[in-house]
């Protein structure tokens, strides 16, 4: 078995996270104010952390795997 973390999977996770932040903050402008930066910057800066999070989540779900990253960027 192997663990693949694809760009579109990371993008979906980040979009969901940002949607939750916007909802909790009461709007996009409020979310950006709370973050102290535009959401597009947050997404770009957090992207590799999200890859790591998804990878670890999948790794914990599998006992024995071959490690492989798929990055089209």
């Amino acid at each position: 078995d192997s663990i693949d973390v694809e760009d579109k999977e990371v993008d979906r996770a980040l979009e969901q996270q940002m949607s939750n932040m916007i909802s909790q903050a009461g709007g996009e402008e409020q979310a950006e104010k709370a973050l102290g930066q535009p959401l597009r910057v947050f997404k770009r800066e957090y992207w590799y952390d999200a890859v790591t999070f998804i990878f670890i989540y999948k790794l914990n779900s599998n006992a024995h795997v071959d490690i492989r990253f798929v990055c089209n960027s």
Side-chain angles (χ1 to χ4, degrees):
D1 288 341
S2 65
I3 296 176
D4 294 333
V5 179
E6 298 183 19
D7 293 355
K8 62 183 176 184
E9 187 175 9
V10 177
D11 289 337
R12 270 195 313 269
L14 285 172
E15 290 295 332
Q16 181 63 44
Q17 178 67 28
M18 291 189 317
S19 177
N20 290 341
M21 287 189 295
I22 291 167
S23 177
Q24 290 175 356
E28 188 172 320
E29 187 175 319
Q30 292 87 342
E32 289 179 339
K33 186 175 181 180
L35 288 169
Q37 61 188 357
L39 289 169
R40 62 179 166 70
V41 174
F42 169 81
K43 183 177 179 180
R44 183 178 62 238
E45 289 181 355
Y46 191 65
W47 200 88
Y48 287 103
D49 290 337
V51 170
T52 301
F53 177 80
I54 293 168
F55 173 78
I56 291 170
Y57 176 81
K58 288 182 172 187
L59 183 63
N60 286 333
S61 300
N62 294 295
H64 300 285
V65 297
D66 294 325
I67 298 172
R68 180 175 73 183
F69 288 98
V70 177
C71 184
N72 297 322
S73 300

